[in-house]
Amino acid sequence: SDVCSSDLHEGRNHQVKKMFEAVGLLVDKLSRTQFGNLDVSGLRPGEYRRLNKKEISQLHTLAVTKTKK
């Protein structure tokens, strides 16, 4: 099994899977490693951490900006 990395700046439900299948590649598993300013670096699978106030504020700003478009 091969591993492929892809960066999307905006994605819809199953977009990555559909893109790969369109060129004949089967997708077994997808992992979101970043969302907005958050990423999973330093976390093991299944592990989580609390967001700090700055991260919450940045996500709120991102959400408000997206809804105004």
Side-chain angles (χ1 to χ4, degrees):
S1 129
D2 294 321
V3 175
C4 181
S5 176
S6 178
D7 292 338
L8 267 90
H9 296 274
E10 183 175 327
R12 301 285 182 245
N13 192 28
H14 302 289
Q15 180 179 359
V16 174
K17 188 173 183 176
K18 290 176 184 177
M19 288 171 26
F20 279 88
E21 289 176 350
V23 293
L25 299 173
L26 179 64
V27 176
D28 290 328
K29 179 181 176 184
L30 292 174
S31 298
R32 182 185 304 265
T33 59
Q34 184 174 352
F35 182 83
N37 60 311
L38 305 172
D39 65 41
V40 297
S41 60
L43 296 176
R44 295 183 303 257
E47 188 177 19
Y48 65 93
R49 66 174 180 80
R50 293 189 178 270
L51 300 179
N52 61 43
K53 290 180 181 183
K54 181 179 177 182
E55 291 169 328
I56 293 169
S57 177
Q58 289 171 331
L59 286 174
H60 182 263
T61 300
L62 180 65
V64 169
T65 302
K66 291 283 185 182
T67 57
K68 288 184 179 181
K69 288 185 176 183

